Short mmCIF file of all heavy atoms in Angstrom, two decimals:
data_model
loop_
_atom_site.label_atom_id
_atom_site.label_comp_id
_atom_site.label_asym_id
_atom_site.label_seq_id
_atom_site.Cartn_x
_atom_site.Cartn_y
_atom_site.Cartn_z
N TYR A 60 4.53 -10.89 -10.07
CA TYR A 60 5.58 -11.17 -11.01
C TYR A 60 5.39 -10.48 -12.35
O TYR A 60 4.22 -10.31 -12.77
CB TYR A 60 5.69 -12.69 -11.26
CG TYR A 60 6.07 -13.51 -10.06
CD1 TYR A 60 5.08 -14.06 -9.27
CD2 TYR A 60 7.38 -13.73 -9.75
CE1 TYR A 60 5.42 -14.84 -8.16
CE2 TYR A 60 7.73 -14.50 -8.62
CZ TYR A 60 6.76 -15.05 -7.83
OH TYR A 60 7.08 -15.80 -6.74
N GLU A 61 6.46 -10.10 -12.97
CA GLU A 61 6.39 -9.66 -14.37
C GLU A 61 6.03 -10.86 -15.23
O GLU A 61 6.46 -11.96 -14.95
CB GLU A 61 7.74 -9.04 -14.78
CG GLU A 61 7.71 -8.24 -16.05
CD GLU A 61 7.93 -9.08 -17.24
OE1 GLU A 61 8.72 -10.05 -17.17
OE2 GLU A 61 7.30 -8.81 -18.29
N ASP A 62 5.27 -10.60 -16.29
CA ASP A 62 4.70 -11.71 -17.07
C ASP A 62 5.77 -12.64 -17.61
O ASP A 62 5.57 -13.86 -17.67
CB ASP A 62 3.89 -11.16 -18.21
CG ASP A 62 2.53 -10.60 -17.79
OD1 ASP A 62 2.13 -10.90 -16.65
OD2 ASP A 62 1.93 -9.91 -18.58
N SER A 63 6.90 -12.11 -18.04
CA SER A 63 7.91 -12.96 -18.71
C SER A 63 8.61 -13.92 -17.75
O SER A 63 9.27 -14.86 -18.21
CB SER A 63 8.97 -12.08 -19.40
OG SER A 63 9.76 -11.38 -18.47
N VAL A 64 8.47 -13.73 -16.44
CA VAL A 64 9.11 -14.63 -15.48
C VAL A 64 8.14 -15.51 -14.72
O VAL A 64 8.58 -16.37 -13.96
CB VAL A 64 10.02 -13.84 -14.48
CG1 VAL A 64 10.98 -12.91 -15.20
CG2 VAL A 64 9.16 -13.05 -13.46
N LYS A 65 6.85 -15.33 -14.94
CA LYS A 65 5.86 -16.13 -14.25
C LYS A 65 6.05 -17.62 -14.60
O LYS A 65 6.22 -17.98 -15.76
CB LYS A 65 4.44 -15.71 -14.65
CG LYS A 65 4.03 -14.38 -14.06
CD LYS A 65 2.62 -14.00 -14.46
CE LYS A 65 2.23 -12.65 -13.89
NZ LYS A 65 0.87 -12.25 -14.33
N GLY A 66 6.04 -18.45 -13.56
CA GLY A 66 6.23 -19.85 -13.74
C GLY A 66 7.67 -20.27 -13.76
O GLY A 66 7.98 -21.48 -13.69
N ARG A 67 8.59 -19.33 -13.84
CA ARG A 67 10.04 -19.64 -13.85
C ARG A 67 10.74 -19.11 -12.60
O ARG A 67 11.67 -19.75 -12.09
CB ARG A 67 10.71 -19.04 -15.10
CG ARG A 67 10.16 -19.56 -16.40
CD ARG A 67 11.03 -19.10 -17.56
NE ARG A 67 11.05 -17.67 -17.70
CZ ARG A 67 12.16 -16.92 -17.68
NH1 ARG A 67 13.36 -17.49 -17.50
NH2 ARG A 67 12.09 -15.62 -17.85
N PHE A 68 10.34 -17.93 -12.13
CA PHE A 68 10.98 -17.31 -10.98
C PHE A 68 10.07 -17.39 -9.78
O PHE A 68 8.82 -17.33 -9.88
CB PHE A 68 11.25 -15.83 -11.26
CG PHE A 68 12.34 -15.56 -12.27
CD1 PHE A 68 12.86 -16.58 -13.06
CD2 PHE A 68 12.82 -14.27 -12.42
CE1 PHE A 68 13.85 -16.30 -13.99
CE2 PHE A 68 13.80 -13.99 -13.32
CZ PHE A 68 14.32 -15.00 -14.12
N THR A 69 10.65 -17.50 -8.58
CA THR A 69 9.88 -17.53 -7.33
C THR A 69 10.56 -16.60 -6.30
O THR A 69 11.74 -16.76 -6.06
CB THR A 69 9.77 -18.96 -6.77
OG1 THR A 69 9.16 -19.81 -7.69
CG2 THR A 69 8.93 -18.91 -5.49
N ILE A 70 9.79 -15.64 -5.80
CA ILE A 70 10.30 -14.77 -4.76
C ILE A 70 9.85 -15.30 -3.41
O ILE A 70 8.71 -15.79 -3.27
CB ILE A 70 9.83 -13.32 -4.97
CG1 ILE A 70 10.52 -12.37 -3.98
CG2 ILE A 70 8.32 -13.19 -4.91
CD1 ILE A 70 10.31 -10.89 -4.30
N SER A 71 10.72 -15.23 -2.42
CA SER A 71 10.35 -15.66 -1.06
C SER A 71 11.18 -14.81 -0.08
O SER A 71 12.08 -14.06 -0.47
CB SER A 71 10.68 -17.15 -0.88
OG SER A 71 12.06 -17.40 -1.06
N ARG A 72 10.78 -14.88 1.18
CA ARG A 72 11.48 -14.12 2.20
C ARG A 72 11.61 -14.93 3.50
O ARG A 72 10.77 -15.79 3.77
CB ARG A 72 10.83 -12.78 2.44
CG ARG A 72 9.47 -12.84 3.15
CD ARG A 72 8.80 -11.46 3.11
NE ARG A 72 9.57 -10.44 3.79
CZ ARG A 72 9.35 -9.12 3.66
NH1 ARG A 72 8.39 -8.69 2.87
NH2 ARG A 72 10.15 -8.27 4.28
N ASP A 73 12.63 -14.64 4.24
CA ASP A 73 12.86 -15.22 5.54
C ASP A 73 12.93 -14.05 6.50
O ASP A 73 13.97 -13.36 6.58
CB ASP A 73 14.12 -16.04 5.58
CG ASP A 73 14.30 -16.80 6.89
OD1 ASP A 73 13.82 -16.34 7.93
OD2 ASP A 73 14.96 -17.86 6.86
N VAL A 74 11.85 -13.74 7.21
CA VAL A 74 11.80 -12.59 8.10
C VAL A 74 12.83 -12.69 9.19
O VAL A 74 13.50 -11.70 9.55
CB VAL A 74 10.38 -12.43 8.69
CG1 VAL A 74 10.38 -11.28 9.70
CG2 VAL A 74 9.39 -12.15 7.57
N ALA A 75 13.02 -13.89 9.77
CA ALA A 75 13.98 -14.08 10.85
C ALA A 75 15.41 -13.73 10.44
O ALA A 75 16.20 -13.26 11.23
CB ALA A 75 13.91 -15.50 11.35
N LYS A 76 15.72 -13.93 9.17
CA LYS A 76 17.07 -13.66 8.66
C LYS A 76 17.16 -12.32 7.96
O LYS A 76 18.24 -12.00 7.44
CB LYS A 76 17.51 -14.76 7.70
CG LYS A 76 17.67 -16.14 8.37
CD LYS A 76 18.18 -17.17 7.38
CE LYS A 76 18.42 -18.49 8.02
NZ LYS A 76 18.91 -19.48 7.06
N ASN A 77 16.06 -11.58 7.90
CA ASN A 77 16.04 -10.28 7.17
C ASN A 77 16.54 -10.47 5.74
O ASN A 77 17.37 -9.70 5.25
CB ASN A 77 16.85 -9.24 7.90
CG ASN A 77 16.10 -8.58 9.03
OD1 ASN A 77 15.08 -9.07 9.48
ND2 ASN A 77 16.60 -7.43 9.49
N ALA A 78 16.04 -11.48 5.08
CA ALA A 78 16.50 -11.82 3.75
C ALA A 78 15.34 -12.09 2.79
O ALA A 78 14.29 -12.57 3.20
CB ALA A 78 17.42 -13.06 3.79
N VAL A 79 15.58 -11.76 1.54
CA VAL A 79 14.64 -12.06 0.48
C VAL A 79 15.38 -12.77 -0.62
O VAL A 79 16.57 -12.51 -0.86
CB VAL A 79 13.91 -10.80 -0.06
CG1 VAL A 79 14.92 -9.83 -0.67
CG2 VAL A 79 12.83 -11.15 -1.07
N TYR A 80 14.71 -13.68 -1.32
CA TYR A 80 15.36 -14.52 -2.30
C TYR A 80 14.61 -14.50 -3.64
O TYR A 80 13.40 -14.27 -3.66
CB TYR A 80 15.43 -16.00 -1.82
CG TYR A 80 16.04 -16.13 -0.48
CD1 TYR A 80 15.22 -16.25 0.67
CD2 TYR A 80 17.42 -16.14 -0.27
CE1 TYR A 80 15.78 -16.37 1.92
CE2 TYR A 80 17.99 -16.26 0.98
CZ TYR A 80 17.17 -16.36 2.07
OH TYR A 80 17.73 -16.50 3.34
N LEU A 81 15.31 -14.75 -4.69
CA LEU A 81 14.73 -14.91 -6.01
C LEU A 81 15.27 -16.19 -6.61
O LEU A 81 16.44 -16.22 -7.04
CB LEU A 81 14.98 -13.71 -6.90
CG LEU A 81 14.27 -13.73 -8.26
CD1 LEU A 81 12.76 -13.58 -8.07
CD2 LEU A 81 14.80 -12.65 -9.18
N GLN A 82 14.46 -17.24 -6.65
CA GLN A 82 14.86 -18.46 -7.30
C GLN A 82 14.52 -18.38 -8.79
O GLN A 82 13.36 -18.14 -9.13
CB GLN A 82 14.12 -19.67 -6.66
CG GLN A 82 14.43 -21.00 -7.31
CD GLN A 82 15.85 -21.42 -7.13
OE1 GLN A 82 16.40 -21.35 -6.02
NE2 GLN A 82 16.52 -21.87 -8.17
N MET A 83 15.51 -18.51 -9.62
CA MET A 83 15.35 -18.35 -11.06
C MET A 83 15.64 -19.65 -11.76
O MET A 83 16.76 -20.15 -11.69
CB MET A 83 16.25 -17.24 -11.59
CG MET A 83 16.11 -15.91 -10.88
SD MET A 83 17.08 -14.57 -11.64
CE MET A 83 18.74 -15.20 -11.29
N ASN A 84 14.63 -20.23 -12.38
CA ASN A 84 14.74 -21.49 -13.08
C ASN A 84 14.50 -21.25 -14.60
O ASN A 84 13.92 -20.25 -14.98
CB ASN A 84 13.74 -22.52 -12.57
CG ASN A 84 13.98 -22.87 -11.11
OD1 ASN A 84 15.10 -22.90 -10.64
ND2 ASN A 84 12.89 -23.14 -10.40
N SER A 85 14.91 -22.22 -15.38
CA SER A 85 14.70 -22.14 -16.86
C SER A 85 15.16 -20.83 -17.39
O SER A 85 14.46 -20.17 -18.19
CB SER A 85 13.22 -22.41 -17.17
OG SER A 85 12.78 -23.66 -16.70
N LEU A 86 16.34 -20.42 -17.02
CA LEU A 86 16.87 -19.12 -17.40
C LEU A 86 17.08 -19.03 -18.94
O LEU A 86 17.46 -19.99 -19.59
CB LEU A 86 18.16 -18.81 -16.69
CG LEU A 86 17.98 -18.41 -15.22
CD1 LEU A 86 19.30 -18.55 -14.46
CD2 LEU A 86 17.49 -16.96 -15.16
N LYS A 87 16.83 -17.81 -19.45
CA LYS A 87 16.96 -17.53 -20.83
C LYS A 87 17.99 -16.42 -21.06
O LYS A 87 18.23 -15.63 -20.14
CB LYS A 87 15.62 -17.10 -21.43
CG LYS A 87 14.48 -18.05 -21.21
CD LYS A 87 13.17 -17.45 -21.69
CE LYS A 87 12.03 -18.41 -21.47
NZ LYS A 87 10.72 -17.83 -21.91
N PRO A 88 18.62 -16.35 -22.23
CA PRO A 88 19.55 -15.25 -22.49
C PRO A 88 18.91 -13.86 -22.26
O PRO A 88 19.60 -12.94 -21.82
CB PRO A 88 19.91 -15.43 -23.95
CG PRO A 88 19.82 -16.88 -24.16
CD PRO A 88 18.61 -17.32 -23.33
N GLU A 89 17.60 -13.74 -22.50
CA GLU A 89 16.91 -12.48 -22.26
C GLU A 89 16.86 -12.09 -20.79
O GLU A 89 16.50 -10.93 -20.47
CB GLU A 89 15.46 -12.55 -22.80
CG GLU A 89 15.36 -13.03 -24.22
CD GLU A 89 15.14 -14.52 -24.31
OE1 GLU A 89 13.97 -14.97 -24.25
OE2 GLU A 89 16.16 -15.27 -24.43
N ASP A 90 17.15 -13.01 -19.87
CA ASP A 90 17.18 -12.70 -18.45
C ASP A 90 18.49 -12.03 -18.04
O ASP A 90 18.63 -11.63 -16.86
CB ASP A 90 16.98 -13.97 -17.63
CG ASP A 90 15.63 -14.60 -17.84
OD1 ASP A 90 14.61 -13.85 -17.88
OD2 ASP A 90 15.56 -15.84 -17.94
#
Side-chain angles (χ1 to χ4, degrees):
Y60 296 93
E61 194 273 324
D62 286 345
S63 70
V64 308
K65 288 180 180 178
R67 300 190 297 122
F68 291 10
T69 302
I70 187 170
S71 61
R72 70 190 300 164
D73 187 332
V74 175
K76 295 182 178 180
N77 279 16
V79 62
Y80 308 97
L81 185 68
Q82 178 66 46
M83 305 186 294
N84 299 326
S85 301
L86 283 162
K87 305 174 181 180
E89 308 93 87
D90 296 317

